[in-house]
Amino acid sequence: MSDAASLASFAQRDRAMRWAVGIGVGWLAVFAILLVIAQVHPSTVLVDVPYLVPIVAAVGLSGAAAWVTRGRTRVAWVLLAISNALWLTGEVVWVYYTYVLQRGPPAVSAADFFYLSSYVVAIPAILVGIGSSGHLRHVRGLLDAGLLALGLGTIGWQVAISPSLPQSPRLADFVAFAYPLFGVAIVTTLAAVGLAGRHRLPAWGVLVGAGFAVAGVTDAVYAYTIAAQNINSNWINVGWQVEAVLFGLAAVAAIRRPEPEARERTRSRDLTAVPLTIAALAAIGLLVADRVDQGPITGGMLVILLALFAGLLSRQLLIIRDRTRLATQLRASLREQERLAITDGLTGVYNRRFFQEMLRIEAERADRTDTPLSVVLLDLDEFKKVNDGYGHPAGDAVLAQIADRIRGSVRASDIVARYGGEEFGCLLPGVNEEVAVEIAEQIRQSISRSEVAVGQGRNVRLTSSLGVATGGTRDSHPLADPDGLVNEADAALYRAKATGRNRVVAAGMLVDPVYADPDLPPGLVWLADRIDAQLSTHEHSTAVSRWSMLVAERLGLDMATLRRVAAAGRLHDIGKVTVADAVLRKALPLTAGEWEQLRRHPDESARLLTDLGGRPDLAAVVAAHHERFDGTGYPRGLAGTGIPIEARIVTVTDAWAAMLADRPYSPPLTVAQARAEIERCRGTQFDPAVADVFLDLVTEGLIGDLAEPARA
């Protein structure tokens, strides 16, 4: 919507503004009637006294607007109130000369001083109130106004004023022609503001601009009547009456609808070349006129020429600076758009699209240089509980913190991306499977090691499951199919989820309790999880299974033994289903009868595996997992190598998991305390060789923390 249309719409909606417009138009009609009467019955009083009415009203309303408004608008209205007050003072002085002294004002009087002073104050009022915001635009607006004023003034002087001046002009002549010059300055200032015009003017700004435009035209006509000397100038007073009415309406608009700042708008074309063109034409006109007159260039003319050329040069420098600033902003905007196109807005890491593109590029590079490339996919375990328990904003905050932990666990050259809802991906160029698994384990531990804030002083502890896949090495996935590499990592991630969560599984890893032994009875696995949940909020059998296989691998045992020890670790406690809940949850000491119930659970585990699970091969292992290396264990008192190696391994890992968990009969130990306990019982409760290997794995960081579900 244009400024004029916006003003019209405002006037239609505001009742007070409608009344003000009606009164203003009515007054102009009354004044016109008075002028007609004065022509029929000549009387200056009939016109001169009513002439002051709208000016007095404009002064009062301007003061009210200065009081009501704020910011730059208030500064503008303070200046406008001063300008109108100076105008009114000049009119009062004129009336004093005419009706009190009854001799009329002299050729140059105090009234002229106040009139011209009002114009001087009006120019900064325009620039402050309705000019451009920003230092650079102020400077540009001032230059444009100066160039327009100087250019048009020079042209007007050459065309109209200079030929009308007497051969020996007096001070009064210069004062008389100062009015149209100031009128030109004000009109050109308004033009400069409009041409710099990247702002939609408020309603009062449109009215003020219209008032000054009318004043400029009226002053020019008045100067012409003085030069012609034979034209009745009474009707020119209508122009100044219109000016006063417009100023009054502008004040009402500012009072009714304060708008401290102009609103941004764009323009289809840049019109700032107009002042430059006019100034250049004025300079050329001066040179041509002097050439035609064949006279020397006077000092005054030389100053005008230098001012025009200096203004043109300064304006061009500002244009260059403005365009440079815009180009810089454009480049910054493009860079920001590029960043947003490849970045996940929530977590700040890369997005899936960029991850896939870099996967293709890095796969080609790895294939060309014969180097490995690894992919890690990570999914937060039971993240839905966070969203359900604390809300999605809390979930978003958690994801951002998890992203920071992942970035802190990888190299600066690695690529971390948000791959899905609570799923992240890591691209590890030049990293083989062994190192990739270590990095994935570091990520897993960084997530589970400490709680994550969800807001309002609340925290949750999260775990993650990670899948690793490597290409570019012998017997690995071919890099010609990078999407297949991601599929392998995704399958490994699924296996990590299926085998108890909070673990790292590589695509080619044999250490996988469930998939290494596909005949593990699902019903007994469910029973093991139920018993774990009764005893603690932490995992137990899944950790024992995972750690037992790691120990068996380090001991160099065969694949059949690896599968058996993993299965035994997973199901070693299922016999506790025959133990009363009250006994399982009771803090020590237990009664003799209660101890008898508890000590039967290894045999009960073996029975369930044989009778219900069809796995008698595991029965001897789980039956012996509470035997001690020195022969003082239960249920049969086996000792040394008479205990199956799988059971000796499970004995160590089961004790470690129990010591780290918060059980009814024992608070959790620290890693250092649990380590000291393993060392103390080395050779009595635990096989020394198994204990040493297990502690080596702890030292290497391969025996991780127990998983704890997110608390909703």
Side-chain angles (χ1 to χ4, degrees):
M1 183 183 293
S2 67
D3 295 333
S6 177
L7 173 60
S9 175
F10 169 53
Q12 290 173 358
R13 295 194 306 271
D14 191 275
R15 184 177 180 181
M17 193 65 189
R18 290 200 302 272
W19 274 99
V21 171
I23 292 171
V25 172
W27 172 256
L28 293 176
V30 169
F31 189 78
I33 293 171
L34 292 176
L35 285 175
V36 173
I37 295 173
Q39 285 183 335
V40 177
H41 303 285
S43 173
T44 56
V45 177
L46 191 63
V47 174
D48 293 338
V49 175
Y51 175 85
L52 297 176
V53 172
I55 304 175
V56 172
V59 172
L61 290 171
S62 298
W67 178 265
V68 170
T69 53
R70 295 290 183 271
R72 289 178 58 203
T73 306
R74 165 174 277 186
V75 175
W77 275 106
V78 168
L79 293 172
L80 288 170
I82 294 172
S83 176
N84 289 335
L86 290 170
W87 178 19
L88 177 60
T89 304
E91 297 292 355
V92 171
V93 170
W94 191 91
V95 169
Y96 174 78
Y97 277 120
T98 304
Y99 295 104
V100 177
L101 300 181
Q102 295 184 350
R103 56 183 174 83
V108 178
S109 68
D112 294 306
F113 169 78
F114 289 111
Y115 290 148
L116 296 176
S117 296
S118 71
Y119 288 132
V120 173
V121 178
I123 292 176
I126 295 171
L127 292 174
V128 172
I130 58 178
S132 301
S133 61
H135 175 71
L136 182 59
R137 289 183 178 177
H138 269 307
V139 174
R140 186 173 59 196
L142 286 170
L143 271 176
D144 285 345
L147 287 171
L148 271 173
L150 193 56
L152 290 176
T154 300
I155 294 173
W157 182 273
Q158 289 176 304
V159 173
I161 298 174
S162 180
S164 302
L165 284 175
Q167 293 295 323
S168 300
R170 300 164 301 163
L171 178 61
D173 296 320
F174 285 104
V175 170
F177 286 106
Y179 288 100
L181 285 178
F182 272 110
V184 169
I186 290 176
V187 171
T188 52
T189 300
L190 289 167
V193 169
L195 292 172
R198 293 178 175 85
H199 291 79
R200 185 180 298 282
L201 299 180
W204 65 264
V206 176
L207 291 167
V208 167
F212 280 124
V214 170
V217 173
T218 305
D219 288 335
V221 174
Y222 179 68
Y224 175 75
T225 61
I226 291 176
Q229 295 181 350
N230 60 353
I231 298 177
N232 188 348
S233 61
N234 283 340
W235 283 96
I236 298 175
N237 291 323
V238 174
W240 290 311
Q241 291 287 286
V242 171
E243 176 190 7
V245 169
L246 289 173
F247 286 163
L249 293 176
V252 173
I255 293 169
R256 298 292 295 172
R257 189 181 179 186
E259 295 179 82
E261 299 294 338
R263 294 167 295 182
E264 287 288 331
R265 69 175 178 187
T266 57
R267 296 183 69 94
S268 59
R269 291 181 296 174
D270 184 9
L271 300 177
T272 54
V274 174
L276 305 181
T277 304
I278 292 175
L281 290 175
I284 295 171
L286 278 177
L287 293 175
V288 171
D290 276 356
R291 187 63 179 169
V292 171
D293 292 341
Q294 296 182 348
I297 297 178
T298 63
M301 190 169 297
L302 182 60
V303 170
I304 293 174
L305 285 172
L306 289 176
L308 286 170
F309 285 122
L312 288 170
L313 179 60
S314 300
R315 190 63 180 83
Q316 286 300 116
L317 291 175
L318 283 177
I319 289 174
I320 293 172
R321 179 181 173 182
D322 203 14
R323 290 178 177 175
T324 301
R325 178 179 57 83
L326 290 174
T328 302
Q329 291 176 347
L330 179 60
R331 286 194 296 269
S333 176
L334 290 174
R335 286 195 297 268
E336 179 65 12
Q337 290 178 10
E338 291 174 357
R339 186 189 68 80
L340 293 175
I342 63 174
T343 305
D344 176 61
L346 176 63
T347 61
V349 298
Y350 293 113
N351 56 26
R352 179 169 182 167
R353 174 183 173 186
F354 182 76
F355 180 88
Q356 292 174 327
E357 181 63 22
M358 291 305 299
L359 172 65
R360 182 186 61 79
I361 294 173
E362 291 296 342
E364 292 176 356
R365 180 184 294 127
D367 191 42
R368 187 172 60 253
T369 58
D370 196 25
T371 55
L373 174 65
S374 293
V375 171
V376 176
L377 292 184
L378 173 152
D379 189 81
L380 295 177
D381 298 329
E382 299 182 310
F383 183 73
K384 185 176 182 295
K385 291 184 178 180
V386 176
N387 282 332
D388 292 346
Y390 301 98
H392 287 278
D396 292 345
V398 167
L399 289 175
Q401 296 173 70
I402 294 298
D404 289 338
R405 295 189 183 187
I406 297 173
R407 281 186 294 202
S409 303
V410 300
R411 305 169 301 176
S413 58
D414 296 331
I415 294 170
V416 178
R418 186 181 178 194
Y419 206 71
E422 63 268 20
E423 190 172 0
F424 294 85
C426 301
L427 193 59
L428 312 177
V431 173
N432 59 28
E433 182 182 88
E434 182 179 359
V435 176
V437 170
E438 292 178 2
I439 293 174
E441 180 62 23
Q442 291 174 5
I443 295 172
R444 187 193 68 78
Q445 291 190 29
S446 73
I447 293 172
S448 62
R449 186 179 299 119
S450 58
E451 294 181 330
V452 181
V454 295
Q456 299 181 351
R458 298 175 299 181
N459 301 298
V460 295
R461 187 179 297 276
L462 295 174
T463 62
S464 58
S465 301
L466 300 95
V468 179
T470 302
T473 59
R474 182 182 301 176
D475 300 327
S476 68
H477 190 91
L479 290 176
D481 179 24
D483 291 337
L485 191 63
V486 174
N487 292 337
E488 287 190 358
D490 191 56
L493 171 61
Y494 176 77
R495 291 162 57 194
K497 287 282 190 183
T499 54
R501 305 184 183 91
N502 192 30
R503 67 190 60 201
V504 176
V505 173
M509 184 182 290
L510 296 176
V511 184
D512 190 335
V514 172
Y515 286 88
D517 194 342
D519 296 328
L520 208 59
L524 297 184
V525 171
W526 173 86
L527 184 59
D529 289 340
R530 180 176 177 273
I531 292 169
D532 288 348
Q534 282 182 298
L535 293 175
S536 173
T537 58
H538 293 81
E539 65 171 339
H540 182 77
S541 63
T542 53
V544 170
S545 176
R546 182 167 69 250
W547 297 337
S548 296
M549 184 169 277
L550 285 173
V551 174
E553 274 193 315
R554 184 62 62 89
L555 289 171
L557 303 180
D558 58 68
M559 182 58 63
T561 305
L562 291 177
R563 291 177 177 175
R564 196 159 48 247
V565 74
R570 188 74 171 90
L571 303 177
H572 69 285
D573 270 345
I574 58 175
K576 287 182 178 179
V577 70
T578 63
V579 181
D581 287 349
V583 174
L584 291 176
R585 295 173 179 168
K586 183 179 180 181
L588 295 177
L590 300 178
T591 65
E594 290 169 342
W595 269 116
E596 184 62 26
Q597 283 189 57
L598 193 60
R599 288 181 175 183
R600 282 202 303 266
H601 86 267
D603 281 336
E604 290 297 329
S605 297
R607 183 182 63 81
L608 290 172
L609 279 166
T610 301
D611 297 345
L612 300 180
R615 294 298 302 271
D617 57 315
L618 298 180
V621 177
V622 298
H625 78 277
H626 274 292
E627 302 289 356
R628 295 169 60 99
F629 195 72
D630 62 1
T632 61
Y634 63 88
R636 292 177 179 78
L638 301 178
T641 57
I643 305 171
I645 183 60
E646 300 94 331
R648 281 178 270 158
I649 293 172
V650 171
T651 299
V652 175
T653 57
D654 178 43
W656 182 266
M659 287 188 288
L660 294 186
D662 187 6
R663 294 291 182 93
Y665 53 82
S666 174
L669 302 183
T670 65
V671 171
Q673 291 171 331
R675 185 185 187 99
E677 188 67 15
I678 296 291
E679 291 173 345
R680 185 181 69 82
C681 297
R682 179 182 178 276
T684 54
Q685 182 178 355
F686 307 124
D687 182 340
V690 174
D692 290 344
V693 166
F694 181 82
L695 292 177
D696 287 342
L697 292 171
V698 172
T699 302
E700 295 171 17
L702 297 178
I703 303 297
D705 302 326
L706 292 173
E708 181 181 1
R711 295 187 296 275

